[in-house]
Amino acid sequence: MAQPQHSFIDWLGNHLFSCPFKAHFGIDCPGCGLQRSVLALFSGDIISSFKFYPATIPLLFVVLFTIVHLKVDFKFGAQLIKIVFAGVAVIILINYIYKIYTHQLI
Amino acid sequence: MSEEQGNPEENKPIDLSKNQNPEPAPFQPIDQGPVTPPPFQQPPPFQQQPPFGQFGAGGFGQQNLPNATASLVLGILAIPACCFYGVFGLIFGVIAWILGAGDMKKYQLNPSLYTESSYKNAKAGKICGMIATILSLLFIVVVVLIVAGAIANPQLFDEFIKGVK
């Protein structure tokens, strides 16, 4: 079971969408790294997933939690979604500013 | 996918509720003329809803707000969608914002008709849409500034890009 999954992830890794912003200007956009990060997470590498894009884990959490919330209808659901979503936005901003300062916008 | 599945189920109740809103008017004269408005608006839904209860989710014949789910889903999808120059993020975010705000108004006009949980969802969708819109706008402003800088002064722009790298 492990091998077909692994090759599928490799295949996905070779077929990522390329960022038009990066293609034109040669700089990362605020969303760059998300796909690599998700792939790293799927292959079980949480640390490199975080390094590629720190907002991936909370973002995936929000998406999954929203699906569950729309089915089950938690009392605190909407509030939690709002808070985590705001956190994701802040993480993305901080991550991009950090990338600019540390010259990682390859 | 979830917004596509959610919409058709929840769109049916809108039409019903819109049809029901005009109906309370004929009931008003029956209820002893000059009393304050709130007593009129609240009782009719409870009397009229049970026949349509098969569509609604609430126990008292309350319905979900029509666009709450769509607003929430679009608001959340707006951030992953911001990749393409922030355009899709902006579109999704604005749509989520408008849908959420519209549903909030609908709920405030007639709170007894809709479920409170769907109101919370609409509110969350509106706020998520706002956040995504602001992020996308920031990104678009940066793109416009970079393009303007590249057109105005190409040499300086090249040095700037090298400096950033």
Side-chain angles (χ1 to χ4, degrees):
Chain A
M1 282 300 289
Q3 268 197 343
Q5 279 181 357
H6 211 73
S7 65
F8 177 65
I9 287 173
D10 287 344
W11 178 85
L12 265 187
N14 294 325
H15 293 80
L16 295 177
F17 299 109
S18 59
C19 177
F21 183 75
K22 194 171 180 177
H24 277 182
F25 299 106
I27 315 174
D28 275 9
C29 82
C32 280
L34 180 60
Q35 297 178 80
R36 281 169 283 164
S37 170
V38 171
L39 278 184
L41 194 63
F42 280 166
S43 57
D45 196 350
I46 295 178
I47 294 172
S48 72
S49 161
F50 185 84
K51 278 180 185 167
F52 277 134
Y53 203 66
T56 308
I57 295 168
L59 194 60
L60 278 183
F61 169 75
V62 170
V63 171
L64 293 179
F65 181 78
T66 307
I67 294 169
V68 176
H69 168 67
L70 288 176
K71 296 271 180 201
V72 183
D73 200 11
F74 297 110
K75 260 187 185 173
F76 57 91
Q79 191 72 24
L80 187 66
I81 288 173
K82 270 186 277 184
I83 294 171
V84 179
F85 195 80
V88 168
V90 170
I91 292 174
I92 289 176
L93 267 184
I94 291 177
N95 177 43
Y96 198 60
I97 294 170
Y98 174 79
K99 268 182 167 180
I100 290 175
Y101 269 111
T102 53
H103 299 266
Q104 290 180 3
L105 299 174
I106 307 160
Chain B
M1 285 301 289
S2 56
E3 76 250 29
E4 288 172 5
Q5 289 169 354
N7 269 335
E9 292 168 8
E10 289 169 3
N11 278 337
K12 288 173 191 170
I14 327 167
D15 301 336
L16 292 174
S17 67
K18 278 177 184 169
N19 292 336
Q20 285 161 12
N21 281 336
E23 283 180 16
F27 280 84
Q28 287 179 1
I30 302 171
D31 293 347
Q32 299 171 1
V35 198
T36 50
F40 295 138
Q41 290 177 353
Q42 285 176 358
F46 289 102
Q47 292 166 4
Q48 293 177 357
Q49 290 286 330
F52 303 103
Q54 42 184 336
F55 298 112
F60 295 104
Q62 290 177 322
Q63 300 161 343
N64 287 323
L65 282 162
N67 294 324
T69 308
S71 166
L72 191 59
V73 171
L74 277 178
I76 288 170
L77 284 186
I79 278 200
C82 82
C83 277
F84 194 81
Y85 291 110
V87 173
F88 285 114
L90 188 68
I91 294 171
F92 280 17
V94 168
I95 292 175
W97 190 346
I98 292 172
L99 289 182
D103 269 12
M104 279 177 72
K105 268 183 194 164
K106 230 180 232 175
Y107 178 86
Q108 281 156 2
L109 280 179
N110 215 337
S112 60
L113 207 57
Y114 301 107
T115 52
E116 201 190 346
S117 67
S118 70
Y119 172 66
K120 283 181 184 167
N121 282 351
K123 210 172 168 183
K126 181 189 158 192
I127 291 173
C128 292
M130 283 164 82
I131 295 173
T133 307
I134 292 169
L135 264 185
S136 307
L137 270 183
L138 270 180
F139 181 43
I140 288 176
V141 167
V142 168
V143 171
V144 169
L145 280 181
I146 289 179
V147 171
I151 291 172
N153 199 338
Q155 290 180 348
L156 201 69
F157 174 74
D158 283 345
E159 286 169 17
F160 166 73
I161 290 287
K162 277 175 193 167
V164 170
K165 278 182 185 174

